Amino acid sequence: MKKTFFKSNIMVVLLGALTITSCQENEYGSVDLSDYVKPEVPSEIVWNHPSTMYGVSDFARVKEAIANGTAPQAVKDELTALRSSAYTTGNYDGSEVHATEWITRGSTSSTQYPQNYSNAMRDAAAAYQHALLWKITGEEAHATAALNFLNTWAKVCTVGVTDVASDCVLAAGAQGFTFAAAGEMMRDYSGWSIADRTAFIQWMVDKFAAKNYKFLMYHNGVTCGPMHYWSNWDMVSLLSYLQIGILAERKDMVDFVVTYFSTSGIGNGMISKLCMDQHDDPLGSGEKIRQGQESGRDQGHAQMACMVAAQLCQVADNLYKSNPTYANLDFFSLNDYMVLQMAEYVALTNLRDGADIKNESGNYLIPVVSNIPFTPIAEGYWCKGGSNHEAFNAHNNFGDAARGTVRPSMEIFLHHFKGMTSELSAKNTGIKYIKQYADKIRPEGGAGEPGDVHGYGNNSGAFDQVGWNTLMLYQE
């Protein structure tokens, strides 16, 4: 079989082969690589497509359970909701595509490339949701709709994600991942021509992966260093770059993400910077929990960083299942379940004891904010030398703005860890609060869900996570 190699317009450095010096020159000056640690990587990767948030066995299991009626009621309910989503019906049924020549996110004075990212944001969600429905139901209408979104965007969006505003990085990450995940689910559809599929993958590499890589290496050249940016900026970029690497079968891209996340990332998306100080559960469960890099910020963003991390771990895990000797690809287990401990912290600090799906009623499990364990962050800790960015400010306490709002993806952590009680106990950690969170909002839904029953809304926060994980991961 002929192999197609997808090349980026920006040179992708294979860190495993990089000759390390203390600094690497680039268009912004130099990047300090003195902390670089070369992990062990296998010489080859086994690609078992589709490999995204879910793998071959997940699709087979869910498809069979729905067909024979044995699926849990919550799974059936989420399938019904997905069929009625705003992004699988109406203007997003696939008959109309809202593709644009460029994608800009953020305030800009540019008259050539004004902000317009919402078109890509919504169309990417539609492509993803139609692709997921096709994988589960086999209905041709959803395959046709998904491909119309993917092919049209690849043909029309010739400029790609612009550089006219710093927030464009977020569009390259969030929408890059969503488009790529949709493409990965559709890659085995016989109706997608080789020419169109190849063109789509090349578009993803050139227009999204190139932006992801550039940001992760240089962080827009900010003078106070790469930790100027909140962790979620790195997280969406890593997630997009990993998924596109899988889509294009680019081992160098996978190796880059593994190296960055596990050992050597210069920004706040490296696992030990994303997951900060460890604390004892103040409610006495005996679990160790861990504040996140954004825990002193509003909880909408703190949860976003956690939920995007869940997606990153999940995508990596599906690839890890086919490559079990690639140890650092097991993101869920890295550093004694560090990401899990952050998720427990997020769940514990945001949960109320009421029963409603929006988590709006009852008292917080920790009612008094000052009782939430939190290690203060001094002014300038992330941005030495000064910056007008919010991260320069001191964070003395847990951030209680937007506390209690919910986001989808705790189902991911519960699915992965629910059978690992002894392993987690050995490390003094667990999933007590993750389970409460996931059980409470199930079925978790996603962007466009009927009635917006979880309160995700219609702004960018609803699209930072792809959602709909109950359908694919919940098992009784």
Side-chain angles (χ1 to χ4, degrees), residues 30 77 114 189 212 217 229 283 294 311 313 316 322 348 354 419:
S30 62
D77 290 345
Y189 176 58
N212 304 149
M217 284 297 291
Y229 288 96
L283 300 187
E294 302 196 38
Q311 294 187 157
C313 292
S322 300
L348 168 61

Side-chain angles (χ1 to χ4, degrees), residues 41-59:
V41 299
S43 59
E44 295 182 355
I45 284 181
V46 175
W47 309 102
N48 189 16
H49 300 291
S51 182
T52 177
M53 291 278 290
Y54 322 111
V56 175
S57 62
D58 295 312
F59 289 116

Side-chain angles (χ1 to χ4, degrees), residues 104 111 113 135 294 335 359:
T104 293
T111 57
Y113 299 125
K135 290 295 291 183
E294 302 196 38
N335 297 12
N359 193 44

